[in-house]
């Protein structure tokens, strides 16, 4: 089952997965909020690398741009605008944490079991490498997915206006 | 190769879940939720290449998902700031209005 | 006579009842309404009662009874109704007359009290209950009114409930008479059980017991009679249940007059007279009644000698005189008992109202602090003096004739009781002279601004004085009017025994003379007895330690039992209850811990639930 060929893709996957997992674990285990955000940025970049491996170059670009860039920065702004005890865990909740760990591990166990048990047939025809990925997505966006695309633009507008209204000081 | 990506996504999802449920700081909880969303995105993209019928639809889905996640992050942070202004804290265990 | 007054006799108790209802509805804040309604309603009752009595005096209508079906269960029918006999007619007049005079008198006595209309409504209810009791034609109806009388006395004795003594006295009166009531209830149940057809009306009772036909076994008859007598003992304050009566003096004085003369305590004597047929069927019961009555008469009279509270002396005097009545009934002379009840009602009401007038004037009840009131209170002094003479049995006042009749009967039936009666008569005369001379003669003591009471108080006194002086002449050794009228001449006559009259009068005069010697002339020192036998005086002052004996014998053990039961209740029963409720509370606490408002806790629970669900779904493969 683990007889994988040491292809270039596998090596790259291995490197990225190490980056992602270590970033995620560090994010959970760090105590300072800024460190957490930085490790999370590493995770985002790792995922962008995986997108590249999966021949989704445009998505990888978007991932870096939006997640590693915008969202991380947004989070840092959020951190700066609120007050934090640097050292968290002033009150530990051992029962709560244990139960959550058990739950998360059990969920992973079930998922892993399901993944191992499933048969994934080989794709009938691989995704064509020839065409430009970004071009293809652009075409799709403005043909098949034009309505969702426009709706997303509305959603984003509403979200940003809402965010401004919410975050605005009420006193003025 | 597909199962490796799926396993990777599962790991990421579970770590995100753990973080979302254990961390007190609301910002970190938001970050953990982003982590879970990313795990889902990874699944979608992996299926778009290695699925039975490979197509760009998975990538399109991911694209929308990212857009929604960005909106969620923005609104989430705004709500958080408003809450912080009202309650003076970002610790979620002090937000217990649901009990009252 | 087509429609007789007896047929509308049911109106008599209705007058005060209507007054009670009106006062209950509109009395709040009214000051004169109570006086008006109370006096008018009792006067109406009095007029009707007198008409009924006149009608019964003439030969035409002897008897009227009306009853209707009240309750009808399966195989059990209860009737309610009223009955007018000669005895009833006489009692109606006594009750309404005293009640009317008390109503008038209270207008003056209770003038300053802010709850005067409440007082009048209670008095009206009291009169209603007593009149209902008198008119009742069967034991059950009688028992209902009997209890009502008890409730009213409770309300009125405790009328000044802010005084702790009044509160305690009211409770005592209620609880002690309740013991008697329980006996009466048992007696009624026994009677109901053994009577043919379960009839409880007095006509049937009379028929069954009068003939001595042996329908009911002799032992059962004795038991029924004694149980009924227990009820009478409680209400009429006979030994050993007399303890509540002196304490009942905490109530307003007009109420004492009402209780002692016409209503509450007369109920017991009336009950025995009403069920006299049952008693006559059992010689044992008669003896019990006679001896208890005789013992009470001498027992209470001796206590009366040593008391200092004007109302308490009169209270013990009442107990003693009631003993006389019971003794007369027990000796088979219903005429004597009722005759004494009749005369006693007038002079005892007179004495109490006079005492009330004195208290009203000097604001104390201790006779040692009074003196020389005769100069300032002419009417009260004269009327009180007549009452004293009547009670002491000095001819020709009413008390002499009734007491004479009882003593005469005793001499013929049981000479021992004759001696007891004579001794009691002596003590009665002595303590009455002591009371009279200490209060009205001698020098005034302390700063007293005594003044004569208003007319609304003195007029009843004068009326009662006239009655107390003259009412004895309806039954003299030479003139057996009352006896013939009451009992249809069935009762054995004892004829006039001159020796009894002489002894009775002599003893009364001796008592008065001795009192005069001690308290006015001072020939005999006041502490002649107390210096030689202080224990005797203390014994009498402490009322033979009856209260203490009850406290030690009954109250303490009962209280101990109460504590024990309370402990059982508190620790065992409550423990069980608290275990149950504690479990529920514990579950509830657990529930609130889960429901803590923490979103993350909810999240964890959701995840765990999801896993359980997945395991349950997926895991089915493996088993």
């Amino acid at each position: 089952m683990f007889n994988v060929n040491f292809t270039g893709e596998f090596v790259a996957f291995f490197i990225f997965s190490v980056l992602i997992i270590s970033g995620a674990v560090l994010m959970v285990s760090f105590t300072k909020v800024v460190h957490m955000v930085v490790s999370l940025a590493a995770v985002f970049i790792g995922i962008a690398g995986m997108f590249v491996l999966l021949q989704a170059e445009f998505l990888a670009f978007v991932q870096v741009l939006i997640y590693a860039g915008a969202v991380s920065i947004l989070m840092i702004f959020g951190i700066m605008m609120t007050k934090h005890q640097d050292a968290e865990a002033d009150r530990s909740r051992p029962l709560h944490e244990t139960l959550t760990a058990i739950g998360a591990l059990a969920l992973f166990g079930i998922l892993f079991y399901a993944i191992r048990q499933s048969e994934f047939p080989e794709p009938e025809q691989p995704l064509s490498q020839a065409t430009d990925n970004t071009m293809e997505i652009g075409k799709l966006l403005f043909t098949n997915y034009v309505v969702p695309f426009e709706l997303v633009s509305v959603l984003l507008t509403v979200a940003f206006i809402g965010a401004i209204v919410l975050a605005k000081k009420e006193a003025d | 190769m597909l199962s490796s990506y799926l396993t990777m996504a599962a790991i990421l999802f579970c770590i995100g879940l753990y973080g979302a449920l254990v961390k007190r700081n609301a910002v970190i909880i938001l970050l953990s939720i982003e982590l879970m969303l990313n795990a889902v995105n990874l699944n979608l993209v992996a299926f778009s290449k290695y699925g039975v019928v490979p197509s760009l639809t998975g990538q399109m889905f991911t694209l929308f998902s990212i857009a929604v996640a960005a909106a969620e992050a923005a609104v989430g942070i705004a709500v958080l700031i408003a809450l912080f202004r009202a309650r003076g804290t970002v610790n979620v265990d002090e937000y217990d209005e649901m009990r009252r | 006579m087509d429609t007789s007054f007896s047929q509308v006799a049911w109106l008599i108790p209705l007058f005060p009842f209507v007054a009670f209802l009106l006062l209950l509805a509109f009395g709040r804040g009214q000051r004169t309404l109570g006086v008006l309604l109370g006096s008018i309603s009792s006067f109406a009752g009095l007029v009707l009662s007198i008409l009924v009595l006149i009608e019964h005096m003439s030969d035409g209508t002897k008897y009227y009874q009306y009853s209707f079906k009240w309750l009808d269960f399966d195989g059990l029918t209860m009737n309610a109704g009223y009955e007018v006999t000669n005895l009833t007619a006489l009692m109606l007049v006594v009750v309404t007359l005293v009640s009317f005079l008390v109503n008038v008198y209270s207008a003056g006595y209770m003038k300053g009290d802010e709850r005067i209309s409440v007082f009048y409504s209670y008095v009206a209810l009291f009169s209603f209950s007593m009149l209902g009791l008198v008119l009742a034609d069967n034991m059950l109806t009688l028992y209902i009114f009997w209890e009502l009388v008890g409730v009213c006395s409770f309300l009125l004795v405790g009328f000044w409930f802010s005084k702790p003594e009044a509160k305690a006295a009211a409770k005592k009166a209620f609880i002690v008479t309740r013991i008697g009531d329980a006996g009466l209830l048992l007696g009624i149940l026994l009677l109901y059980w053994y009577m043919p057809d379960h009839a409880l009306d007095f006509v049937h009772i009379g028929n069954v017991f009068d003939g001595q036909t042996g329908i009911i076994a002799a032992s059962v008859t004795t038991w029924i009679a004694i149980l009924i007598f227990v009820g009478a003992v409680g209400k009429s304050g006979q030994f050993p249940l007399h303890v509540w009566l002196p304490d009942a003096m905490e109530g307003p004085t007009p109420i004492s007059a009402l209780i002692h003369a016409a209503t509450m305590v007369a109920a017991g004597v009336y009950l025995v007279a009403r069920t006299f047929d049952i008693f006559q069927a059992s010689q044992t019961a008669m003896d019990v009644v006679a001896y208890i009555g005789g013992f009470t008469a001498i027992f209470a009279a001796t206590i009366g000698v040593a008391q200092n509270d004007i109302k308490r002396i009169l209270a013990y005097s009442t107990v003693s005189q009631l003993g006389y009545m019971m003794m007369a009934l027990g000796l088979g002379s219903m005429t004597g008992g009722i005759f004494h009840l009749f005369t006693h009602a007038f002079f005892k009401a007179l004495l109490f109202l006079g005492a009330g007038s004195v208290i009203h004037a000097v604001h104390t009840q201790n006779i040692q602090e009074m003196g020389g009131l005769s100069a300032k209170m002419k009417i009260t002094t004269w009327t009180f003096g007549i009452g004293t003479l009547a009670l002491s049995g000095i001819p020709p006042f009413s008390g002499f004739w009734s007491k004479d009749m009882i003593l005469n009967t005793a001499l013929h039936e049981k000479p021992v009781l004759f001696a007891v009666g004579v001794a009691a008569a002596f003590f009665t005369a002595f303590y009455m002279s002591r009371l009279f001379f200490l209060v009205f003669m001698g020098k005034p003591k302390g700063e007293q601004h005594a003044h004569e009471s208003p007319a609304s108080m003195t007029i009843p006194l004068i009326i009662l004085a006239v009655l107390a002086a003259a009412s004895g002449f309806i039954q003299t050794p030479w003139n057996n009017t009352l006896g013939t009228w009451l009992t249809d001449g069935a009762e054995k006559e004892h004829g006039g025994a001159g020796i009894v009259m002489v002894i009775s009068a002599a003893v009364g005069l001796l008592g008065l003379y001795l009192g005069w010697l001690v308290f006015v002339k001072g020939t005999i020192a006041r502490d002649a007895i107390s210096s030689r036998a202080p224990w005797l005086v203390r014994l009498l002052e402490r009322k033979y330690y009856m209260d203490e004996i009850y406290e030690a014998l009954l109250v303490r053990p009962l209280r101990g039992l109460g504590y024990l039961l309370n402990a059982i209740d508190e620790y065992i029963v409550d423990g069980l209850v608290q275990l149950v409720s504690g479990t529920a509370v514990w579950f509830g606490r657990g529930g609130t811990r889960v429901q803590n408002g923490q979103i993350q806790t909810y999240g964890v629970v959701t995840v765990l639930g999801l896993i359980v669900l997945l395991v349950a779904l997926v895991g089915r493969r493996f088993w």
Side-chain angles (χ1 to χ4, degrees), chain C residues 568-591:
Chain C
I568 288 176
D569 183 57
E570 209 164 281
Y571 294 109
I572 295 178
V573 179
D574 266 18
L576 280 173
V577 171
Q578 276 173 5
L579 190 70
V580 172
S581 67
T583 314
V585 168
W586 185 78
F587 270 116
R589 291 265 158 72

Tab-separated table of all heavy atoms in Angstrom, chain C residues 568-591:
chain	number	residue	atom	x	y	z
C	568	ILE	N	-38.925	12.491	63.753
C	568	ILE	CA	-39.130	11.459	62.728
C	568	ILE	C	-39.460	12.112	61.395
C	568	ILE	O	-38.889	11.790	60.356
C	568	ILE	CB	-40.263	10.510	63.168
C	568	ILE	CG1	-39.767	9.633	64.307
C	568	ILE	CG2	-40.715	9.650	62.000
C	568	ILE	CD1	-40.825	8.735	64.869
C	569	ASP	N	-40.348	13.100	61.484
C	569	ASP	CA	-40.754	13.779	60.262
C	569	ASP	C	-39.572	14.480	59.620
C	569	ASP	O	-39.354	14.407	58.423
C	569	ASP	CB	-41.860	14.790	60.583
C	569	ASP	CG	-42.355	15.474	59.338
C	569	ASP	OD1	-42.786	14.764	58.427
C	569	ASP	OD2	-42.297	16.701	59.292
C	570	GLU	N	-38.792	15.134	60.488
C	570	GLU	CA	-37.731	15.974	59.951
C	570	GLU	C	-36.607	15.138	59.348
C	570	GLU	O	-36.096	15.454	58.288
C	570	GLU	CB	-37.176	16.837	61.084
C	570	GLU	CG	-36.615	18.157	60.629
C	570	GLU	CD	-36.467	19.089	61.806
C	570	GLU	OE1	-37.466	19.684	62.241
C	570	GLU	OE2	-35.348	19.186	62.308
C	571	TYR	N	-36.253	14.055	60.067
C	571	TYR	CA	-35.059	13.344	59.632
C	571	TYR	C	-35.361	12.152	58.743
C	571	TYR	O	-34.590	11.853	57.839
C	571	TYR	CB	-34.254	12.901	60.856
C	571	TYR	CG	-33.714	14.082	61.602
C	571	TYR	CD1	-34.209	14.450	62.839
C	571	TYR	CD2	-32.722	14.871	61.016
C	571	TYR	CE1	-33.736	15.561	63.495
C	571	TYR	CE2	-32.248	15.987	61.665
C	571	TYR	CZ	-32.754	16.334	62.905
C	571	TYR	OH	-32.293	17.444	63.531
C	572	ILE	N	-36.472	11.469	58.981
C	572	ILE	CA	-36.721	10.268	58.194
C	572	ILE	C	-37.588	10.594	56.984
C	572	ILE	O	-37.190	10.368	55.840
C	572	ILE	CB	-37.362	9.180	59.077
C	572	ILE	CG1	-36.354	8.770	60.151
C	572	ILE	CG2	-37.750	7.985	58.220
C	572	ILE	CD1	-36.837	7.774	61.116
C	573	VAL	N	-38.746	11.195	57.251
C	573	VAL	CA	-39.644	11.490	56.125
C	573	VAL	C	-39.030	12.544	55.220
C	573	VAL	O	-38.917	12.368	54.007
C	573	VAL	CB	-41.013	11.953	56.663
C	573	VAL	CG1	-41.923	12.283	55.499
C	573	VAL	CG2	-41.626	10.877	57.515
C	574	ASP	N	-38.564	13.622	55.877
C	574	ASP	CA	-37.941	14.676	55.085
C	574	ASP	C	-36.704	14.171	54.382
C	574	ASP	O	-36.392	14.598	53.277
C	574	ASP	CB	-37.573	15.857	55.993
C	574	ASP	CG	-38.663	16.885	55.997
C	574	ASP	OD1	-39.774	16.518	55.596
C	574	ASP	OD2	-38.392	18.028	56.381
C	575	GLY	N	-35.978	13.272	55.045
C	575	GLY	CA	-34.785	12.729	54.425
C	575	GLY	C	-35.116	12.047	53.121
C	575	GLY	O	-34.451	12.268	52.111
C	576	LEU	N	-36.183	11.236	53.158
C	576	LEU	CA	-36.590	10.559	51.926
C	576	LEU	C	-36.974	11.571	50.862
C	576	LEU	O	-36.543	11.469	49.704
C	576	LEU	CB	-37.778	9.638	52.222
C	576	LEU	CG	-37.425	8.296	52.850
C	576	LEU	CD1	-38.667	7.553	53.252
C	576	LEU	CD2	-36.610	7.479	51.867
C	577	VAL	N	-37.767	12.543	51.301
C	577	VAL	CA	-38.220	13.547	50.337
C	577	VAL	C	-37.028	14.278	49.738
C	577	VAL	O	-36.928	14.488	48.532
C	577	VAL	CB	-39.181	14.540	51.025
C	577	VAL	CG1	-39.483	15.696	50.092
C	577	VAL	CG2	-40.455	13.838	51.424
C	578	GLN	N	-36.080	14.611	50.639
C	578	GLN	CA	-34.933	15.364	50.136
C	578	GLN	C	-34.041	14.510	49.260
C	578	GLN	O	-33.386	15.018	48.360
C	578	GLN	CB	-34.147	15.940	51.307
C	578	GLN	CG	-34.753	17.248	51.770
C	578	GLN	CD	-34.118	17.764	53.020
C	578	GLN	OE1	-33.158	17.185	53.499
C	578	GLN	NE2	-34.649	18.835	53.552
C	579	LEU	N	-34.045	13.196	49.521
C	579	LEU	CA	-33.278	12.316	48.652
C	579	LEU	C	-33.843	12.382	47.241
C	579	LEU	O	-33.103	12.544	46.260
C	579	LEU	CB	-33.355	10.892	49.193
C	579	LEU	CG	-32.406	9.901	48.529
C	579	LEU	CD1	-30.979	10.206	48.906
C	579	LEU	CD2	-32.774	8.488	48.907
C	580	VAL	N	-35.153	12.293	47.149
C	580	VAL	CA	-35.796	12.335	45.835
C	580	VAL	C	-35.529	13.673	45.165
C	580	VAL	O	-35.037	13.745	44.029
C	580	VAL	CB	-37.311	12.099	45.986
C	580	VAL	CG1	-38.003	12.336	44.655
C	580	VAL	CG2	-37.573	10.691	46.471
C	581	SER	N	-35.821	14.752	45.921
C	581	SER	CA	-35.643	16.065	45.316
C	581	SER	C	-34.172	16.321	45.028
C	581	SER	O	-33.820	16.930	44.026
C	581	SER	CB	-36.204	17.148	46.234
C	581	SER	OG	-35.426	17.217	47.393
C	582	GLY	N	-33.293	15.809	45.915
C	582	GLY	CA	-31.861	16.009	45.714
C	582	GLY	C	-31.400	15.354	44.423
C	582	GLY	O	-30.587	15.910	43.690
C	583	THR	N	-31.939	14.164	44.154
C	583	THR	CA	-31.577	13.499	42.912
C	583	THR	C	-31.973	14.349	41.713
C	583	THR	O	-31.178	14.538	40.777
C	583	THR	CB	-32.289	12.136	42.833
C	583	THR	OG1	-32.140	11.484	44.083
C	583	THR	CG2	-31.706	11.294	41.739
C	584	ALA	N	-33.200	14.864	41.782
C	584	ALA	CA	-33.661	15.704	40.674
C	584	ALA	C	-32.762	16.927	40.518
C	584	ALA	O	-32.347	17.279	39.408
C	584	ALA	CB	-35.099	16.126	40.908
C	585	VAL	N	-32.448	17.554	41.669
C	585	VAL	CA	-31.596	18.742	41.620
C	585	VAL	C	-30.232	18.389	41.059
C	585	VAL	O	-29.652	19.112	40.251
C	585	VAL	CB	-31.478	19.350	43.034
C	585	VAL	CG1	-30.384	20.392	43.064
C	585	VAL	CG2	-32.791	19.947	43.468
C	586	TRP	N	-29.724	17.215	41.475
C	586	TRP	CA	-28.413	16.802	41.009
C	586	TRP	C	-28.403	16.631	39.493
C	586	TRP	O	-27.494	17.083	38.805
C	586	TRP	CB	-28.047	15.499	41.713
C	586	TRP	CG	-26.670	15.025	41.426
C	586	TRP	CD1	-25.514	15.489	41.951
C	586	TRP	CD2	-26.320	13.975	40.511
C	586	TRP	NE1	-24.453	14.804	41.424
C	586	TRP	CE2	-24.915	13.862	40.544
C	586	TRP	CE3	-27.044	13.133	39.688
C	586	TRP	CZ2	-24.223	12.928	39.777
C	586	TRP	CZ3	-26.352	12.200	38.914
C	586	TRP	CH2	-24.966	12.107	38.959
C	587	PHE	N	-29.459	16.008	38.979
C	587	PHE	CA	-29.566	15.874	37.532
C	587	PHE	C	-29.623	17.245	36.877
C	587	PHE	O	-29.012	17.488	35.843
C	587	PHE	CB	-30.821	15.072	37.167
C	587	PHE	CG	-30.566	13.593	37.078
C	587	PHE	CD1	-31.182	12.721	37.940
C	587	PHE	CD2	-29.685	13.090	36.132
C	587	PHE	CE1	-30.932	11.356	37.863
C	587	PHE	CE2	-29.436	11.725	36.044
C	587	PHE	CZ	-30.065	10.860	36.915
C	588	GLY	N	-30.387	18.122	37.497
C	588	GLY	CA	-30.521	19.467	36.949
C	588	GLY	C	-29.182	20.178	36.903
C	588	GLY	O	-28.810	20.790	35.901
C	589	ARG	N	-28.408	20.060	38.014
C	589	ARG	CA	-27.079	20.665	38.040
C	589	ARG	C	-26.231	20.150	36.899
C	589	ARG	O	-25.569	20.909	36.191
C	589	ARG	CB	-26.390	20.338	39.377
C	589	ARG	CG	-26.994	21.003	40.563
C	589	ARG	CD	-26.252	22.307	40.875
C	589	ARG	NE	-27.110	23.179	41.656
C	589	ARG	CZ	-27.418	22.960	42.926
C	589	ARG	NH1	-26.927	21.937	43.566
C	589	ARG	NH2	-28.219	23.785	43.567
C	590	GLY	N	-26.271	18.805	36.718
C	590	GLY	CA	-25.517	18.215	35.616
C	590	GLY	C	-25.947	18.822	34.295
C	590	GLY	O	-25.121	19.168	33.455
C	591	GLY	N	-27.265	18.985	34.160
C	591	GLY	CA	-27.774	19.573	32.925
C	591	GLY	C	-27.245	20.973	32.704
C	591	GLY	O	-26.831	21.326	31.597
